[in-house]
Amino acid sequence: MPPSVSVVLVPGLGLDERSSGRLRKEVGATVVVLPGMGLAERVPPVDELAARLRAALPDGPVVLVGHSQSCQVAAAAARDPRVVGVVLCGPTTDPRMRPFRVLSWRWLRTAFTEPWWQVPLVLRQWLHTGPRAMTALWRTASPDPIDARLAGLPVPVVVVRGTRDALCPGDWAARVAAAAPRGRLVELPGAVHMTVQTHPREVAAAVRSLLPT
C-alpha cells in the first residue's frame, strides 16, 4: 500500500475497533470511534458526527471506510479535501426500513444468517457501547439521505454488499452506488451484513482498488 494514503475505518452501530481487526490485518488502517459507534456518549446529529470524524483524519490523502450505520457519517464527511475515496459496507438507510416491523423482520433475517462464531464478539461490543447510544444513533442516522449526500461527490465510491444481507438489499445498494457520480457496487456472494469481520480480504480488495498504484 502506498504510504502516502491513509485508510480510516468507522465502526458500525454499537461496534468498535474490534469489529475491523481482521480487516486491519489486510490493510493498514486506523479506527475512529464515535458516539453510538464504540462510544457510550450522547449522539449528536450526523453533521456533528461527521465533523468529529473530519477532525480525527490524518494529514494527506485518506480513504474512508464506513460500515452499516456509520456509512452515513462517512458519506457526510467525504467532501473533506483530504478524502480521495470512500468504501461503504452495507449502508443501512433504506427508507423502507423505518417502520419498526420492517426493521425487526430484516434484522432477524440477517442475524440468523450470519456466522454464529462472531456472536460473542458482537455482543461484547454492543455491551460496551450500550443500548442507549445505539438507539440514539439509529434514530439520528436512519432518516439521513445518504444518496443525497453522495450526489455530486467527486471521489470514487465503492458500495460493498453481501448477497444475503437483508439490512442492505440489492436494489438499495445499487441506488446508493448510482447516487455517486463515480460509484460502483461490489456484491460478495454468500456474505451477510458483517462483511468487515467475515470477508476481510474481499473488503480489503475494495479498499485497495481506490489506492494509487
Side-chain angles (χ1 to χ4, degrees):
M1 178 186 302
S4 59
V5 180
S6 301
V7 178
V8 176
L9 311 175
V10 188
L13 176 70
L15 304 176
D16 57 32
E17 64 276 0
R18 288 171 286 186
S19 67
S20 59
R22 300 181 73 203
L23 175 59
R24 283 182 282 124
K25 290 180 180 179
E26 299 289 334
V27 291
T30 57
V31 180
V32 176
V33 292
L34 296 167
M37 296 163 276
L39 295 180
E41 299 178 1
R42 182 190 70 84
V43 178
V46 170
D47 285 325
E48 289 186 34
L49 291 168
R52 288 183 60 164
L53 174 56
R54 288 194 299 269
L57 295 180
D59 295 331
V62 174
V63 171
L64 277 181
V65 182
H67 173 227
S68 191
Q69 198 84 71
S70 73
C71 289
Q72 294 92 291
V73 180
R79 293 185 185 274
D80 188 286
R82 290 167 290 182
V83 176
V84 297
V86 182
V87 177
L88 303 174
C89 300
T92 53
T93 52
D94 183 352
R96 295 169 297 188
M97 281 205 302
R98 290 175 195 166
F100 181 73
R101 60 181 178 78
V102 178
L103 170 63
S104 300
W105 172 239
R106 288 197 188 180
W107 186 87
L108 287 170
R109 284 175 57 195
T110 300
F112 282 100
T113 312
E114 290 280 8
W116 284 101
W117 58 262
Q118 61 180 335
V119 170
L121 175 62
V122 170
L123 289 178
R124 286 195 294 269
Q125 294 174 78
W126 284 354
L127 288 172
H128 175 75
T129 301
R132 179 176 295 180
M134 292 172 61
T135 302
L137 177 63
W138 178 265
R139 289 175 176 169
T140 297
S142 59
D144 195 73
I146 192 171
D147 44 352
R149 298 269 189 189
L150 296 174
L153 188 66
V155 301
V157 175
V158 180
V159 177
V160 178
R161 173 190 177 263
T163 57
R164 304 175 73 191
D165 186 356
L167 290 172
C168 181
D171 60 343
W172 169 246
R175 174 178 163 183
V176 174
R182 300 174 62 187
R184 63 185 176 93
L185 174 62
V186 173
E187 294 196 283
L188 307 183
V192 196
H193 190 64
M194 296 296 294
T195 52
V196 294
Q197 287 188 168
T198 59
H199 291 70
R201 291 183 180 178
E202 291 87 344
V203 175
V207 174
R208 291 192 187 100
S209 72
L210 300 181
L211 300 174
T213 56

